[in-house]
C-alpha cells in the first residue's frame, strides 16, 4: 500500500471555515461551477493582480512559534527607569489569564448592541469612575488612543468651545512630555493653531490670541508643581487648561480637578498594562460637566431597560463625526477598550489602599535613591518629586560614562541636556534595584556605595497644598474583590454577560470579525514583547526591528506600495496620517494651496472628519442610483476644483459591498487634475491577493490590522491603522521626536510611540507568516464565497440592495429592511430579536439607514452560516406574521426582543406568543442559549439623564433587595 506524504497541519485550514465538501455545496447553492468562476464574476478583470503574492512560504503554528521565539529573543530585557510616561508594572496574573488571554473578552465587538455587552460596559464604567476619582473631575470617557492623542483632543475641544474671538495660540509648558508636544504640533499645524512653548512660571497669559494651555504633572523631568495659581490666572484671561497627569502619582498628590483644571489627560499604562515597546495603552480624558456634550470619544452611561431596571450603554451613541461629518471637531470613532478594562480591573483588584501603598513604596525608594546619590556628590535638581530624579553631572563625558556603565549592568536611564540623567522608579522597583542604580554611579565616580534598604516609613516633604487629602475609589466595586477567588468570579460574571466570537458569528459589515487564532495571540504576553520601553536604545530592540521591517515589506507586497508606516494606532488615525502625507507632499511641491478633498456621500463618517482635521475642505461626491460613485459628478467636481484639488478619499470595494468597475477611471481623473487618491482600507479583506490599492490607482491607504490582519477588536479596541504609500509620498511618512524612524521629510508624530501599538503587531506578523501568499489569497476568495452564499440563501427573504455587474456581492452585502416599516417593524427590532437566536446583529443602518450590512468573513463554517441564515429566515417569518395581521403590531416577538431569563421565568405571562417561541425560536438555541443580561435599553432616557460613573455609594446604604421586574416591552 502506497501512502503519500504532505503537511498534516496546515494553518490556512484552521483559519478558513468551509472545507472542500462545504465549498462544493455552497457553490451549488450560489449557482456556479467553481470558486474561480465566482471570483471572475465578482472581481473585475481590469483590476486583478498579474501575479501571485510574493511572500514567504506558510509556516505551521509550531514552526511559527519556534521561529518567533528566536526573533523575540533578540530583544534585550533591561530594567527601565526612563519614565516619560511609560513605566514597568505588574499585570496581576488573574487578570492576564482571564481577560487579556481570554477570547471571551478580546474577540467581542464594540458595544453598540448594549443588551449583549453589559459585562464590558460595566468594566468600562469602572474605568471611567476610576479616572473621575483620581483626576478629581466630573466626567471621563471610555479611553482614547494614547496620552498624546488625548492631549490633542483637549486642545481641539478647547479651540471649538472658546468664547474668545480670533484665537490661534495654545500655550504648552516646555516640561510637557516631548512626544506629546510632537503630537500636539502635528495636530495644530493644519488647523493654523500656533503652539507657544515656554516656562509656565514666567508665561504671559494675557495674549488675546491664546485660548488654552497645557501642563504636565509631574513634569517631564520629574518636578512636581502646584498649578493652582497658574490655572486661576489662565481662567481670568479666558483660557481653558489641560493637565496631563500620572495616575499613580495622583494617589498621593492633589488632583488636577482640585487645582481647577478643565481637562486632565494621561496614560493608564501604569495600572497593570505592559509597556509593549509603546502600546497599546488606554489614554484617559476627564473633564468638567460643562463639556459632557462635546467630550471626544466614547462615553459609557447608565440608562434603564424596558423593565425599568438599570442598564448600561454607550451614551450619546451616535458620535459627532458620524452625524456632523465635515463639521466634526474630532474623527475619534474608537477606544482602547481591552486596555481600559485591564487598567480598571487593576484598580478593582488592588483597591485604593493597595494602590496607595504602591505609590508610597515608589516614593520612599525614590527618596532613598536621592539620599544615596547625593551622598556620592551627585546633584539632584528637583525640589519636589514623586518618582523621578533629575540628576546633573559635571560633564557630558561623565554622563556618557554613566550610560555605558548602566547599560553594561542592564539598566536604562534617560539622558538629556548633555549633562543630565533622569531616573524614574516604578511599581516593580525593589531596594536591591536601587542598590544596583547607586552602584553604577559609585563605580563611575570612583566611590564606595553604601547599603540600601527599604525604609520602614516615608515622610512627605511636599508643601501642604500638594498633598492629596480627598478620597478616591470609594465605590464598593473597588473595595470588594481583593481576594483572587472573588476577583475571578467577578470577571467571569461580567464575561458571561457578553456575546463574543467564542459564542457565535458576529456578521458585522465593514468590521471583519474573523478568527483571531490562539497561536497569533500567544506571543503578545511574552516578556520579550511586553517589557521593552519605547524609548530604549534601538540596539536593544533588534527583535522588534526584524518584526517591523518584515511586516512592512509584507504589507508593501500586499498593497503594491513602496513604503509603510506602522505608527498610526487606529483606523481613523491612519486616515488622518495618510491625509497629512498628501498635504505635506503638496506643500513640498509648492502647492500648499491644494486643500480640496472629494469624498463620496457614502463614505465612513470618519473620512470627512479626518479631512477637516488635516486642514482640508470637503466637497461631497454624489452616489448614483446603484449606490456607486456618480462618475459624472466626480469628474465635474474634479475639474471645477482642479486648481486646489488635494485628494479623493474612496473606499474599495465600495462601502455598499461592490467592486466598482469604474475605479481605475476615477483614480485616473483625480491624477489628471493634480490630486492624489487616498483609499480607505476598511474593505481590504476583499482585496488581498486578488487586487491591491496600487493596482486600482490609489496613492495611499490605511490598513485596519484589527480587521483584515486578525488583531482582535477587544470589545472596541485596540486597533492598528498603518498606512502604505507610493514612492514619491514615502519621504513624508510620520516621524517621531524622541526616536528617529528614518523618513527624510517626515511629518510630525500622530501617536505617542514611534511604532504605535507595537506589542500587538506580532499578531498580524503571525497571521501572514502562517497563511503565506497563497493562504492570504484563498482567505479572500473564501470571504467572497461566504458572502455570496449568504446572499443566495437570504435574497428571497431580504432583497440585497446593491450588487455588481454580474449579480455578485463582494465580501459583504446590504439587506433591505426599510419596507418592513409599513408593518411597524424597524431594523432595530430585527437586531434585538437576533439576540434571542444567539447572534449579534449585522451593521445597522450603515451605509444606508434602515438596512443591515452583513459580512461573514472567511473564518465561518458553512454550518455557522446556515445557522445564521436560518435565524434570519425565521425572523422574516415572524415579520410576515405582523404584516399579515397574525401577530399584533406592537405586542409581538420583535418589539419585545430581546427576552431575558427573568422575563421568561416570570410568574405571570401575558404575551400573545409562548415563552418557548420567545426563548427557543430554533432548535440550535436549546443547546447553546445565550441570555441577554437586560431587556431592550432606552438610550434616549440615558442621554437625557447622563450618568457616566458607578452608582453613588449612597444608593447602596440600607438598600432593600429588589427583584428584577418583568419586561414590560418598549413604551410607545
Amino acid at each position: 500500500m502506497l501512502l503519500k506524504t504532505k503537511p498534516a497541519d496546515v494553518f490556512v485550514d484552521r483559519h478558513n471555515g468551509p472545507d472542500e465538501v462545504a465549498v462544493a455545496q455552497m457553490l451549488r447553492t450560489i449557482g456556479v461551477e467553481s470558486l474561480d468562476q465566482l471570483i471572475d464574476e465578482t472581481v473585475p478583470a481590469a483590476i486583478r493582480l498579474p501575479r501571485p503574492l510574493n511572500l514567504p512560504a506558510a509556516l505551521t503554528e509550531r514552526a511559527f512559534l519556534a521561529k518567533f521565539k528566536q526573533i523575540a529573543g533578540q530583544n534585550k530585557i533591561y530594567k527601565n527607569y526612563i519614565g516619560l510616561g511609560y513605566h514597568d508594572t505588574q499585570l496581576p496574573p488573574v487578570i492576564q489569564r482571564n481577560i487579556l488571554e481570554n477570547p471571551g473578552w478580546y474577540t467581542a465587538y464594540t458595544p453598540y448592541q448594549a443588551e449583549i455587552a453589559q459585562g464590558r460596559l460595566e468594566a468600562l464604567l469602572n474605568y471611567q469612575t476610576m479616572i473621575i476619582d483620581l483626576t478629581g473631575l466630573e466626567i471621563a470617557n471610555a479611553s482614547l488612543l494614547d496620552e498624546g492623542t488625548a492631549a490633542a483632543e483637549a486642545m481641539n475641544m478647547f479651540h471649538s468651545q472658546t468664547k474668545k474671538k480670533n484665537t490661534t495660540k495654545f500655550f504648552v509648558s516646555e516640561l510637557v512630555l516631548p512626544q506629546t508636544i510632537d503630537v500636539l504640533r502635528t495636530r495644530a499645524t493644519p488647523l493654523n493653531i500656533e503652539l507657544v512653548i515656554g516656562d509656565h512660571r514666567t508665561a504671559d497669559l494675557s495674549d488675546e490670541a491664546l485660548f488654552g494651555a497645557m501642563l504636565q504633572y509631574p513634569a517631564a523631568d520629574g518636578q512636581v508643581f502646584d498649578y493652582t495659581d497658574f490655572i486661576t490666572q489662565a481662567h481670568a484671561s479666558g483660557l481653558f487648561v489641560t493637565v496631563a497627569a500620572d495616575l499613580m502619582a495622583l494617589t498621593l498628590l492633589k488632583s488636577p480637578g482640585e487645582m481647577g483644571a478643565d481637562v486632565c489627560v494621561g496614560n493608564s499604562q501604569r495600572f497593570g498594562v505592559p509597556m509593549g515597546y509603546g502600546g497599546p495603552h488606554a489614554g484617559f480624558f476627564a473633564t468638567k460637566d460643562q463639556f459632557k456634550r462635546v467630550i471626544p470619544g466614547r462615553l459609557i452611561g447608565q440608562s434603564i431597560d424596558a423593565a425599568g431596571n438599570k442598564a448600561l450603554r454607550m451614551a450619546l451613541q451616535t458620535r459627532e463625526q458620524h452625524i456632523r461629518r465635515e463639521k466634526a471637531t474630532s474623527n475619534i470613532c474608537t477606544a482602547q477598550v481591552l486596555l481600559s478594562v485591564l487598567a480598571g480591573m487593576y484598580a478593582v483588584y488592588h483597591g485604593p489602599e493597595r494602590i496607595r501603598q504602591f505609590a508610597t513604596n515608589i516614593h520612599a525608594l525614590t527618596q532613598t535613591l536621592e539620599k544615596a546619590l547625593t551622598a556620592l556628590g551627585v546633584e539632584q535638581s528637583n525640589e519636589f518629586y514623586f518618582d523621578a530624579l533629575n540628576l546633573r553631572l559635571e560633564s557630558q563625558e561623565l554622563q556618557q560614562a554613566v550610560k555605558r556603565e548602566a547599560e553594561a549592568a542592564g539598566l536604562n536611564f534617560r539622558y538629556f541636556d548633555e549633562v543630565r540623567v533622569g531616573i524614574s522608579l516604578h511599581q516593580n522597583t525593589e531596594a536591591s534595584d536601587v542598590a544596583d542604580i547607586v552602584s553604577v554611579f559609585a563605580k563611575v565616580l570612583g566611590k564606595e556605595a553604601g547599603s540600601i534598604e527599604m525604609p520602614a516609613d516615608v515622610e512627605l516633604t511636599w508643601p501642604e497644598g500638594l498633598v492629596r487629602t480627598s478620597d478616591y475609589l470609594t465605590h464598593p466595586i473597588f473595595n470588594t474583590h481583593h481576594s483572587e477567588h472573588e476577583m475571578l468570579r467577578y470577571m467571569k460574571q461580567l464575561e458571561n454577560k457578553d456575546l463574543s466570537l467564542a459564542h457565535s458569528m458576529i456578521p458585522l459589515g465593514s468590521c471583519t470579525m474573523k478568527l483571531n487564532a490562539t497561536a497569533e495571540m500567544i506571543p503578545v504576553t511574552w516578556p520579550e514583547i511586553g517589557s521593552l520601553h519605547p524609548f530604549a536604545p534601538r540596539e536593544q530592540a533588534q527583535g522588534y526591528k526584524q518584526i517591523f521591517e518584515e511586516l512592512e515589506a509584507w504589507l508593501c507586497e500586499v498593497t503594491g506600495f513602496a513604503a509603510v508606516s506602522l505608527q498610526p494606532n487606529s483606523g481613523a488615525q491612519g486616515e488622518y496620517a495618510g491625509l497629512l502625507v498628501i498635504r505635506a507632499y503638496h506643500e513640498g511641491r509648492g502647492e500648499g494651496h491644494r486643500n480640496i478633498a472629494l469624498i463620496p456621500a457614502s463614505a465612513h463618517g470618519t473620512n470627512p472628519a479626518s479631512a477637516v482635521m488635516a486642514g482640508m475642505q470637503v466637497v461631497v461626491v454624489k452616489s448614483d442610483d446603484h449606490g456607486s460613485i456618480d462618475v459624472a459628478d466626480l469628474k465635474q467636481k474634479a475639474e471645477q476644483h482642479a486648481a486646489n484639488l488635494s485628494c479623493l478619499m474612496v473606499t474599495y470595494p465600495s462601502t455598499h459591498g461592490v467592486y466598482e468597475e469604474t475605479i481605475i477611471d476615477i483614480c485616473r481623473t483625480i491624477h489628471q487634475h493634480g490630486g492624489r487618491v487616498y483609499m480607505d482600507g476598511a474593505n481590504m479583506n476583499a482585496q488581498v491577493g486578488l487586487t491591491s490599492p496600487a493596482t486600482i490607482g490609489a496613492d495611499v491607504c490605511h490598513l485596519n490590522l484589527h480587521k483584515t490582519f486578525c488583531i482582535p477588536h477587544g470589545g472596541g479596541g485596540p486597533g492598528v491603522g498603518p498606512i502604505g504609500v507610493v514612492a514619491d509620498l514615502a519621504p513624508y511618512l510620520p516621524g517621531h521626536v524622541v526616536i528617529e524612524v528614518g523618513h527624510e521629510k517626515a511629518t510630525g508624530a500622530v501617536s505617542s510611540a514611534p511604532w504605535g501599538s507595537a506589542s500587538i503587531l506580532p499578531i498580524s506578523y503571525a497571521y501572514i507568516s502562517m497563511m503565506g501568499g497563497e493562504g492570504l489569497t484563498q482567505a479572500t476568495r473564501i470571504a467572497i464565497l461566504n458572502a455570496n452564499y449568504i446572499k443566495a440563501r437570504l435574497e428571497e427573504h431580504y432583497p440585497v440592495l446593491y450588487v455588481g455587474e454580474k449579480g455578485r456581492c463582494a465580501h459583504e452585502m446590504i439587506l433591505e429592511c426599510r419596507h418592513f416599516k409599513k408593518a411597524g417593524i424597524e431594523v432595530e427590532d430585527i437586531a434585538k430579536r437576533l439576540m434571542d437566536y444567539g447572534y449579534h446583529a449585522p451593521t445597522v443602518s450603515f451605509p444606508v439607514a434602515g438596512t443591515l450590512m452583513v459580512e461573514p468573513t472567511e473564518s465561518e463554517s458553512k454550518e455557522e452560516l446556515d445557522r445564521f441564515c436560518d435565524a434570519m429566515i425565521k425572523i422574516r417569518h415572524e415579520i410576515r406574521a405582523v404584516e399579515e395581521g397574525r401577530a399584533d403590531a406592537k405586542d409581538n416577538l420583535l418589539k419585545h426582543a430581546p427576552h431575558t431569563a427573568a422575563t421568561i421565568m416570570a410568574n405571570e405571562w401575558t404575551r400573545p406568543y409562548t415563552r418557548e417561541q420567545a426563548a427557543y425560536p430554533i432548535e440550535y438555541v436549546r443547546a447553546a442559549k445565550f441570555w441577554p443580561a437586560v431587556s431592550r435599553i432606552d438610550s434616549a432616557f440615558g442621554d437625557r439623564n447622563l450618568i457616566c460613573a458607578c452608582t453613588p455609594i449612597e444608593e447602596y446604604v440600607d438598600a432593600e433587595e429588589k427583584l428584577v421586574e418583568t419586561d414590560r416591552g418598549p413604551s410607545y
Side-chain angles (χ1 to χ4, degrees):
M1 182 177 182
L2 189 65
L3 300 177
K4 292 186 176 180
T5 62
K6 66 176 183 177
D9 192 11
V10 179
F11 178 75
V12 67
D13 296 337
R14 308 291 192 191
H15 179 80
N16 291 336
D19 59 18
E20 289 183 14
V21 173
V23 169
Q25 294 171 343
M26 295 162 72
L27 290 171
R28 283 197 295 272
T29 300
I30 294 169
V32 292
E33 296 295 323
S34 67
L35 187 52
D36 286 340
Q37 179 187 345
L38 175 63
I39 299 304
D40 288 343
E41 292 180 2
T42 304
V43 186
I47 65 167
R48 295 289 293 274
L49 293 178
R51 60 171 177 81
L53 292 175
N54 181 21
L55 293 170
L59 300 175
T60 64
E61 292 178 337
R62 182 172 65 87
F64 165 73
L65 288 171
K67 175 191 174 185
F68 198 78
K69 195 71 176 176
Q70 293 179 328
I71 295 173
Q74 298 176 65
N75 291 334
K76 298 177 181 177
I77 303 177
Y78 283 28
K79 291 188 176 180
N80 287 288
Y81 305 102
I82 298 170
L84 289 179
Y86 301 95
H87 305 269
D88 202 3
T89 184
Q90 176 65 47
L91 177 60
V94 67
I95 300 176
Q96 176 172 320
R97 173 64 60 86
N98 294 287
I99 293 184
L100 181 56
E101 297 175 352
N102 182 351
W105 284 91
Y106 66 68
T107 70
Y109 182 60
T110 305
Y112 288 120
Q113 298 297 334
E115 293 84 355
I116 50 176
Q118 288 295 294
R120 241 168 317 131
L121 289 165
E122 181 172 328
L124 291 173
L125 196 71
N126 294 344
Y127 169 85
Q128 289 180 180
T129 304
M130 174 189 81
I131 299 300
I132 289 168
D133 282 5
L134 290 172
T135 62
L137 286 157
E138 295 160 328
I139 195 166
N141 67 18
S143 75
L144 292 174
L145 300 176
D146 54 33
E147 183 166 341
T149 303
E153 291 293 333
M155 176 182 71
N156 287 357
M157 186 180 82
F158 291 163
H159 195 226
S160 71
Q161 295 300 303
T162 183
K163 295 180 180 178
K164 298 175 68 176
K165 295 182 179 179
N166 303 317
T167 53
T168 58
K169 296 181 180 180
F170 187 70
F171 174 81
V172 182
S173 166
E174 61 193 5
L175 294 178
V176 166
L177 299 178
Q179 68 270 23
T180 299
I181 296 177
D182 199 8
V183 174
L184 284 171
R185 185 176 284 113
T186 301
R187 286 286 194 95
T189 301
L191 302 177
N192 296 316
I193 295 173
E194 177 187 347
L195 297 189
V196 179
I197 300 172
D199 188 335
H200 77 275
R201 291 164 293 190
T202 58
D204 177 10
L205 302 181
S206 64
D207 187 339
E208 281 301 311
L210 284 168
F211 64 87
M214 181 172 178
L215 309 161
Q216 192 81 39
Y217 182 62
D221 63 0
Q223 293 186 80
V224 175
F225 299 100
D226 186 341
Y227 293 123
T228 304
D229 290 344
F230 176 95
I231 294 171
T232 299
Q233 181 187 352
H235 286 166
S237 298
L239 278 63
F240 297 121
V241 180
T242 297
V243 174
D246 180 322
L247 288 182
M248 189 66 76
L250 294 185
T251 63
L252 297 178
L253 284 168
K254 180 180 179 181
S255 73
E258 291 169 301
M259 291 181 181
D262 299 289
V263 167
C264 182
V265 300
N267 184 356
S268 61
Q269 177 268 321
R270 198 161 196 171
F271 274 31
V273 182
M275 289 184 289
Y277 207 43
H281 307 131
F284 65 83
F285 188 110
T287 188
K288 294 178 176 177
D289 187 70
Q290 74 187 75
F291 297 109
K292 65 186 178 186
R293 300 286 167 177
V294 293
I295 186 173
R298 291 175 178 156
L299 199 62
I300 309 307
Q302 296 187 30
S303 190
I304 58 172
D305 72 357
N309 298 305
K310 286 180 184 174
L312 305 175
R313 90 286 179 241
M314 289 201 293
L316 311 173
Q317 184 163 320
T318 306
R319 300 307 294 171
E320 67 169 310
Q321 79 276 4
H322 293 300
I323 56 176
R324 300 192 68 198
R325 297 175 67 82
E326 66 273 11
K327 296 181 181 178
T329 57
S330 169
N331 71 343
I332 291 294
C333 70
T334 189
Q336 296 280 26
V337 171
L338 191 63
L339 296 312
S340 307
V341 169
L342 294 177
M345 287 299 181
Y346 178 95
V348 169
Y349 188 46
H350 288 309
E353 293 182 10
R354 198 180 299 169
I355 295 176
R356 184 180 175 90
Q357 192 61 60
F358 288 148
T360 299
N361 295 348
I362 292 168
H363 186 60
L365 286 173
T366 309
Q367 283 192 1
T368 301
L369 177 61
E370 181 191 32
K371 291 174 184 176
L373 291 178
T374 53
L376 293 175
V378 179
E379 179 185 337
Q380 200 287 117
S381 301
N382 292 343
E383 181 180 6
F384 306 118
Y385 56 82
F386 165 61
D387 65 352
L389 303 179
N390 180 359
L391 307 171
R392 187 181 188 281
L393 300 175
E394 293 180 359
S395 66
Q396 187 176 12
E397 290 75 20
L398 208 54
Q399 182 201 57
Q400 293 305 303
V402 167
K403 184 175 187 291
R404 286 191 298 273
E405 190 63 36
E407 291 180 1
L411 311 178
N412 285 329
F413 305 147
R414 181 191 177 202
Y415 305 95
F416 60 109
D417 292 350
E418 295 188 345
V419 295
R420 300 245 173 218
V421 178
I423 299 178
S424 181
L425 305 189
H426 47 72
Q427 176 189 341
N428 294 342
T429 306
E430 306 283 354
S432 59
D433 298 313
V434 174
D436 292 341
I437 295 170
V438 174
S439 294
V440 167
F441 284 85
K443 187 171 182 179
V444 170
L445 296 172
K447 298 181 180 180
E448 288 291 324
S451 62
I452 301 292
E453 295 181 358
M454 170 64 84
D457 50 44
V458 58
E459 180 181 357
L460 289 179
T461 58
W462 306 329
E464 186 175 334
L466 274 175
V467 178
R468 180 157 196 156
T469 58
S470 56
D471 292 333
Y472 49 85
L473 304 182
T474 57
H475 191 275
I477 205 69
F478 301 109
N479 295 279
T480 304
H481 308 291
H482 295 169
S483 73
E484 181 165 330
H485 221 151
E486 286 300 313
M487 187 66 182
L488 174 65
R489 288 169 177 161
Y490 176 62
M491 291 186 293
K492 192 64 180 179
Q493 287 168 5
L494 296 190
E495 180 192 344
N496 289 343
K497 295 178 180 180
D498 282 16
L499 188 140
S500 70
L501 286 177
H503 297 93
S504 59
M505 166 184 169
I506 300 180
L508 287 151
S510 193
C511 294
T512 318
M513 298 293 292
K514 61 167 74 178
L515 172 72
N516 314 121
T518 305
E520 296 161 4
M521 300 298 295
I522 284 175
V524 170
T525 52
W526 287 353
E528 299 93 330
I529 296 299
S531 298
L532 273 69
H533 192 289
F535 304 150
R538 291 189 65 175
E539 58 267 21
Q540 295 174 19
Q542 291 303 300
Y544 265 118
K545 181 175 184 288
Q546 181 176 343
I547 294 166
F548 297 156
E549 289 178 349
E550 292 185 1
L551 183 57
E552 287 174 6
W554 297 345
L555 294 178
C556 282
E557 173 65 17
V558 166
T559 59
F561 286 141
V564 164
S565 169
L566 300 171
Q567 188 179 116
N569 49 12
S570 80
Q573 197 85 309
E575 288 178 18
Y576 178 63
L579 294 177
L580 289 182
V581 167
I582 292 173
R583 183 178 189 274
Y585 164 81
H586 287 312
E587 288 181 342
R589 290 163 51 88
E591 296 186 325
H593 60 277
R594 289 187 173 271
N595 68 341
I596 298 295
L598 300 183
I599 301 180
S602 62
H604 292 87
T606 54
N607 284 182
S610 295
V612 171
M613 286 171 56
M616 297 182 184
Q617 181 181 335
V618 174
V619 174
V620 177
V621 178
K622 297 176 184 177
S623 298
D624 63 20
D625 293 339
H626 302 288
S628 299
I629 294 173
D630 186 325
V631 177
D633 187 57
L634 177 133
K635 290 188 173 184
Q636 183 269 319
K637 285 172 177 170
E639 183 175 352
Q640 176 187 347
H641 298 285
N644 297 308
L645 181 62
S646 175
C647 64
L648 165 74
M649 297 185 77
V650 62
T651 301
Y652 199 80
S654 66
T655 310
H656 54 274
V658 174
Y659 294 90
E660 295 184 40
E661 302 269 356
T662 56
I663 189 64
I664 291 178
D665 184 33
I666 286 171
C667 294
R668 187 183 298 119
T669 297
I670 299 302
H671 291 150
Q672 286 172 349
H673 293 290
R676 307 307 295 254
V677 177
Y678 167 89
M679 194 202 87
D680 186 314
N683 292 340
M684 192 67 196
N685 195 42
Q687 286 200 41
V688 180
L690 299 181
T691 183
S692 73
T695 300
I696 69 170
D699 301 293
V700 53
C701 84
H702 85 269
L703 302 170
N704 296 97
L705 298 192
H706 48 288
K707 294 183 180 181
T708 303
F709 296 95
C710 290
I711 290 175
H713 285 65
V720 182
I723 56 171
V725 296
V726 293
D728 61 345
L729 297 183
Y732 302 98
L733 288 170
H736 198 274
V737 71
V738 180
I739 299 292
E740 174 60 49
V741 295
H743 303 306
E744 179 187 350
K745 302 174 183 177
T747 56
V750 295
S751 303
S752 290
W755 289 277
S757 294
S759 70
I760 55 174
L761 294 176
I763 301 170
S764 297
Y765 183 95
Y767 173 61
I768 298 173
S769 295
M770 293 188 290
M771 292 291 278
E774 185 178 339
L776 290 175
T777 305
Q778 184 67 359
T780 308
R781 286 157 56 90
I782 297 298
I784 293 169
L785 169 71
N786 283 0
N788 280 278
Y789 177 69
I790 287 182
K791 174 181 174 291
R793 283 211 59 196
L794 292 185
E795 59 188 345
E796 175 187 343
H797 308 278
Y798 301 88
V800 174
L801 204 53
Y802 303 115
V803 294
E805 292 286 327
K806 297 182 180 178
R808 306 299 177 199
C809 64
H811 63 307
E812 61 189 0
M813 78 217 73
I814 299 174
L815 302 182
E816 177 65 271
C817 301
R818 290 172 291 186
H819 52 293
F820 302 144
K821 285 176 176 278
K822 296 176 182 177
I825 300 298
E826 302 289 341
V827 68
E828 182 186 24
D829 299 323
I830 301 173
K832 303 309 179 186
R833 180 58 174 154
L834 269 169
M835 297 176 190
D836 291 330
Y837 287 78
Y839 284 103
H840 193 291
T843 301
V844 176
S845 290
F846 178 83
V848 180
T851 66
L852 292 172
M853 184 160 63
V854 180
E855 179 180 354
T857 83
E858 68 273 14
S859 296
E860 299 301 341
S861 66
K862 177 179 181 295
E863 291 77 12
E864 182 68 4
L865 299 178
D866 282 333
R867 281 192 287 268
F868 172 73
C869 290
D870 290 345
M872 289 294 293
I873 292 169
K874 186 71 178 294
I875 289 173
R876 180 65 185 95
H877 293 327
E878 293 172 355
I879 296 171
R880 188 169 289 112
V882 178
E883 291 173 327
E884 296 174 354
R886 292 181 286 112
D888 187 84
K890 295 182 178 180
D891 195 5
N892 61 58
L893 284 161
L894 287 102
K895 287 295 182 182
H896 285 299
H899 297 83
T900 65
T903 298
I904 297 299
M905 295 299 293
N907 291 331
E908 183 181 2
W909 183 262
T910 60
R911 305 285 172 83
Y913 49 86
T914 68
R915 299 175 199 253
E916 183 178 44
Q917 288 175 308
Y920 301 115
I922 53 176
E923 192 61 31
Y924 169 75
V925 178
R926 291 184 183 276
K929 179 65 179 176
F930 180 88
W931 290 101
V934 296
S935 300
R936 193 176 303 195
I937 294 173
D938 185 340
S939 292
F941 177 91
D943 288 346
R944 290 193 305 269
N945 305 276
L946 202 58
I947 301 173
C948 297
C950 294
T951 303
I953 192 170
E954 291 77 16
E955 293 194 21
Y956 285 80
V957 179
D958 298 325
E960 295 182 4
E961 189 172 328
K962 180 184 176 184
L963 296 176
V964 177
E965 297 179 29
T966 303
D967 176 5
R968 298 189 301 270
S971 54
Y972 301 103

